[in-house]
Amino acid sequence: CLTRSEMSPSLLERSILSAIRMRIAAEELRKAGEQHRLVLDHISDAVFLTDDIGDFAFICPNVQEIFGYSHQEIQALGNIARLLGEDLFPPEAFDVSEELRNIERAIVDKAGGVHTLLVNVKRVRIRGASRLFSCRDISDLKQTREAQLTSEARLRAIVENLPVEIWTADRDLRYGMQNAQSLAHYGDVRGLLI
């Protein structure tokens, strides 16, 4: 440590500037860490980092939203397979791709509710973790699609059995469907539509 008399003005200035820069860098790092935590707290997907065998290295704080388990309970499970089930993807899948997308998986949450998840798995190198999992709950979307398909099937059955000629098209005049009576009377109308 130098005494004040041994320091030159330029050395003192450089020391002060260095201390200020370090203080600014520390504050920016603190703000970035705070922003990172806020993003993770508000993201709707559950995010996990694991090693190659699936042992947890990081668990996103919002896991309770989908799985119903607390962060500590999931940590106690120890491995992603205990949460998402075995055989999520074949072991050789990463030989072909760095990222596996939209793996559909049904899981049962802590309360016994069934959820349909879309799981993405990406090969990473983050502080000893080698896989990043993101899980999006698509249960509502899947139920809506199934209800829409059921409704369309009912409509198709009704139209098929009506005693009048009917054919349908969407707003852009793309063919929708044509019942047997219309087909017998007009022929196939698909070629007549845009």
Side-chain angles (χ1 to χ4, degrees), residues 63-162:
V63 292
Q64 194 159 4
E65 298 294 320
I66 295 175
F67 299 98
Y69 294 103
S70 70
H71 185 275
Q72 293 79 12
E73 289 171 316
I74 290 180
Q75 186 70 48
L77 292 174
N79 190 289
I80 194 83
R82 301 224 20 229
L83 197 60
L84 298 178
E86 299 289 334
D87 304 321
L88 184 64
F89 54 87
E92 65 278 359
F94 281 120
D95 295 342
V96 178
S97 177
E98 293 288 311
E99 185 171 6
L100 310 174
R101 294 180 177 207
N102 299 328
I103 304 167
E104 193 169 308
R105 178 65 82 159
I107 61 107
V108 178
D109 67 19
K110 183 179 179 180
V114 177
H115 297 264
T116 302
L117 304 181
L118 272 187
V119 180
N120 294 317
V121 186
K122 187 172 188 175
R123 190 182 345 215
V124 296
R125 293 283 172 230
I126 303 173
R127 294 185 182 170
S130 56
R131 293 187 179 153
L132 182 141
F133 290 77
S134 66
C135 305
R136 173 166 294 188
D137 190 343
I138 60 163
S139 301
D140 292 342
L141 177 63
K142 187 166 179 136
Q143 289 171 355
T144 301
R145 282 188 189 152
E146 288 170 358
Q148 179 183 7
L149 290 174
T150 301
S151 178
E152 287 174 3
R154 276 193 220 130
L155 175 62
R156 190 171 300 278
I158 291 169
V159 168
E160 278 298 321
N161 293 308
L162 287 174

Side-chain angles (χ1 to χ4, degrees), residues 43-55:
I43 196 168
S44 58
D45 294 359
V47 178
F48 304 92
L49 288 172
T50 73
D51 61 16
D52 284 339
I53 60 172
D55 290 341

